[in-house]
């Protein structure tokens, strides 16, 4: 069986370094907000080309903390892509803000300026872009829109570690960006972890306060905060893996290039091939009008696939108040998309088999 993803295999090449990092943290006797977190924050900020990285508990809380630090009035409208994971939306509604759902660009499935502009009103305060599947949104027109309407621009970069746009990395394309370091990500920890990156000194300071109970001095609390701290162990693991991120992404790009060049099936819609070396291919997502039959065929041929994501956020039970929305492209995508195996340990022989099997599919 070729799994969609096997994290034991993915982490095996770094096993000795990860074990050494764990022993170093254990021996230090300091397990929360210490030297390991500081070292990783410095390294990842430099990697993204920004001034600040603040390590936090997970990607959801990274987005939440950005919104807390920006302090929008209750009822403010936030434009979001409709075809995203629910974590992009949850902090918005939790803080009494209003998500305004935008259909994606039909070619890239990412948020684009033509879909955003008609949704801007006097209540709009921010645009959240999601660099979905590892591809950066077309940011220049979106940045221009944000400047024109005096809106904050926020990146959900949870799937885009190392992705680039016009020679800038994801995380350095907005006022602030949220990263997840969940184990399945291109840069994945061995548990939950996240980060906020920004060039804004005041926002960085606020996020640092908020993640640590609103405190920068023990038992002195300047603002009502929360507990969302990247721990020392995960920071040490991330520092090990960050050194290999670019090489890992190049392997993903090489596999994606093969899929794009060699998969030829009339019923299968492949992602666009115009940004192979800028996209980091967190997922290789295709569309098929008979998705279930196609996935069953692949499973019978011992090829694992996953659906990212089967139900759109506005159709979830958590958001029944938004089920009235008419978002036909988003809903079609969620009915048709599936992710093929693409990861750093997929072999050339396995890629050969996947390509051959897909091209021979009766569906």
């Amino acid at each position: 069986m070729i799994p969609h993803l096997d994290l034991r295999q993915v982490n095996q090449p770094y096993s000795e370094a990860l074990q050494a990092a764990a022993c170093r943290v254990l021996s230090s006797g300091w397990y929360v907000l210490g030297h390991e977190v500081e070292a990783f924050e410095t390294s990842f900020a430099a990697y993204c080309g920004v001034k600040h990285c603040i390590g936090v508990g997970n990607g959801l809380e990274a987005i939440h903390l950005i919104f807390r630090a920006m302090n929008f009035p209750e009822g403010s409208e936030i434009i979001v892509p409709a075809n995203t994971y629910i974590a992009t939306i949850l902090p918005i509604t939790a803080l009494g803000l209003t998500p305004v759902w935008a259909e994606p660009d039909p070619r890239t499935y990412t948020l684009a300026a033509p879909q955003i502009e008609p949704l801007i009103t006097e209540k709009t305060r921010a645009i959240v872009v999601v660099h979905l599947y590892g591809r950066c949104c077309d940011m220049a027109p979106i940045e221009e829109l944000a400047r024109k309407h005096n809106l904050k621009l926020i990146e959900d970069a949870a799937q885009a570690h190392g992705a680039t746009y016009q020679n800038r990395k994801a995380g350095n394309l907005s006022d602030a960006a949220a990263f997840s370091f969940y184990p399945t990500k291109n840069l994945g920890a061995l548990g939950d972890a996240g980060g906020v990156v920004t060039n804004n000194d005041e926002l960085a300071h606020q996020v640092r306060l908020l993640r640590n109970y609103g405190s920068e001095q023990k038992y002195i609390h300047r603002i009502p905060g929360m507990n969302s701290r990247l721990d020392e162990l995960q920071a040490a693991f991330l520092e090990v893996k960050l050194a290999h991120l670019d090489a890992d992404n190049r392997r993903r790009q090489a596999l994606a290039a093969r899929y794009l060049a060699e998969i030829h099936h009339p019923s299968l819609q492949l992602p666009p091939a115009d940004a192979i070396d800028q996209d980091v291919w967190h997922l290789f997502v295709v569309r098929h009008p008979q998705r279930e039959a196609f996935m069953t065929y692949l499973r019978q041929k011992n090829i694992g696939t996953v659906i990212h994501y089967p139900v759109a956020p506005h159709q979830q039970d958590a958001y029944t108040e938004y089920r009235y929305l008419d978002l036909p492209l988003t809903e079609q995508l969620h009915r048709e998309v599936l992710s093929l195996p693409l990861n750093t340990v997929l072999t050339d022989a396995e890629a050969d088999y996947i390509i051959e099997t897909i091209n021979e599919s009766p569906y």
Side-chain angles (χ1 to χ4, degrees):
M1 181 72 179
I2 301 174
H4 180 263
L5 180 65
D6 183 336
L7 288 175
R8 288 175 299 179
Q9 290 187 43
V10 167
N11 286 311
Q12 194 281 328
Y14 318 122
S15 178
E16 288 187 13
L18 292 170
Q19 290 182 48
C23 289
R24 185 175 70 247
V25 173
L26 179 62
S27 299
S28 75
W30 193 283
Y31 307 125
V32 178
L33 291 186
H35 295 305
E36 301 290 349
V37 170
E38 290 177 4
F40 175 70
E41 288 176 338
T42 299
S43 296
F44 194 64
Y47 180 82
C48 294
V50 298
K51 293 170 66 176
H52 305 282
C53 170
I54 305 96
V56 302
N58 53 63
L60 169 64
E61 290 173 357
I63 303 172
H64 182 97
L65 286 162
I66 289 170
F67 277 108
R68 283 282 306 273
M70 288 183 173
N71 197 27
F72 297 118
E74 190 168 334
S76 295
E77 293 180 352
I78 312 296
I79 296 175
V80 296
N83 62 318
T84 184
Y85 184 54
I86 198 170
T88 311
I89 312 299
L90 289 171
I92 296 171
T93 55
L95 293 170
L97 309 175
T98 302
V100 176
W101 314 72
E103 287 268 61
D105 177 85
R107 188 179 70 89
T108 65
Y109 312 153
T110 58
L111 198 56
Q115 283 74 32
I116 295 169
E117 190 161 23
L119 301 177
I120 296 173
T121 73
E122 61 182 16
K123 294 183 180 179
T124 307
R125 294 293 177 268
I127 301 165
V128 179
V129 298
V130 179
H131 302 315
L132 197 64
Y133 310 145
R135 179 190 177 105
C136 285
C137 300
D138 184 10
M139 292 298 292
I142 297 174
E143 288 179 279
E144 184 178 340
L145 264 186
R147 284 194 300 270
K148 177 181 175 182
H149 295 277
N150 194 29
L151 304 176
K152 294 294 185 183
L153 184 55
I154 300 162
E155 295 168 81
D156 179 340
Q159 300 184 355
H161 312 72
T164 58
Y165 175 83
Q166 295 182 357
N167 298 315
R168 289 187 290 163
K169 279 197 170 71
N172 192 18
L173 302 168
S174 64
D175 294 292
F179 282 91
S180 167
F181 304 116
Y182 186 72
T184 60
K185 305 302 185 184
N186 290 33
L187 179 60
L190 274 63
D192 271 323
V196 173
V197 301
T198 183
N199 286 307
N200 185 305
D201 296 340
E202 178 56 30
L203 187 140
H205 179 64
Q206 285 295 109
V207 172
R208 289 188 190 281
L209 278 176
L210 287 163
R211 73 165 175 184
N212 189 39
Y213 300 100
S215 173
E216 55 191 348
Q217 179 183 348
K218 194 170 184 179
Y219 300 134
I220 304 299
H221 305 273
R222 291 184 50 202
I223 57 176
M226 58 190 288
N227 178 6
S228 179
R229 302 176 297 204
L230 175 63
D231 70 57
E232 288 284 280
L233 187 61
Q234 298 303 337
F237 291 154
L238 289 167
E239 184 78 2
V240 168
K241 296 181 71 175
L242 179 59
H244 303 277
L245 178 58
D246 285 342
D248 287 347
N249 283 342
R250 286 193 293 272
R251 176 58 181 164
R252 290 174 178 272
Q253 289 164 347
L255 288 166
R258 285 204 58 196
Y259 281 172
L260 291 165
E262 299 176 40
I263 292 176
H264 304 289
H265 192 288
S267 297
L268 202 64
Q269 184 172 333
L270 302 179
D274 61 330
I276 292 175
D277 296 333
Q278 290 78 51
D279 191 328
V280 292
W281 302 98
H282 171 62
L283 298 168
F284 192 91
V285 176
V286 298
R287 288 172 63 185
H288 197 294
Q290 299 180 68
R291 179 175 67 188
E292 301 308 319
F294 182 65
M295 291 180 70
T296 298
Y297 164 76
L298 292 180
R299 184 166 57 249
Q300 290 170 346
K301 298 293 185 177
N302 294 313
I303 297 171
T305 57
V306 175
I307 300 171
H308 296 90
Y309 303 96
V311 182
H314 75 283
Q315 295 182 317
Q316 297 280 358
D317 288 345
Y319 288 121
T320 54
E321 67 270 33
Y322 291 107
R323 282 190 177 161
Y324 73 90
L325 292 171
D326 182 25
L327 299 166
L329 177 55
T330 290
E331 292 164 17
Q332 183 179 8
L333 289 175
H334 285 265
R335 287 194 303 269
E336 295 182 352
V337 296
L338 68 149
S339 302
L340 302 179
L342 192 154
N343 55 74
T344 54
V345 295
L346 190 74
T347 67
D348 289 338
E350 288 172 332
D352 289 340
Y353 177 72
I354 291 167
I355 292 165
E356 179 183 353
T357 303
I358 289 174
N359 287 338
E360 292 175 353
S361 171
Y363 299 101

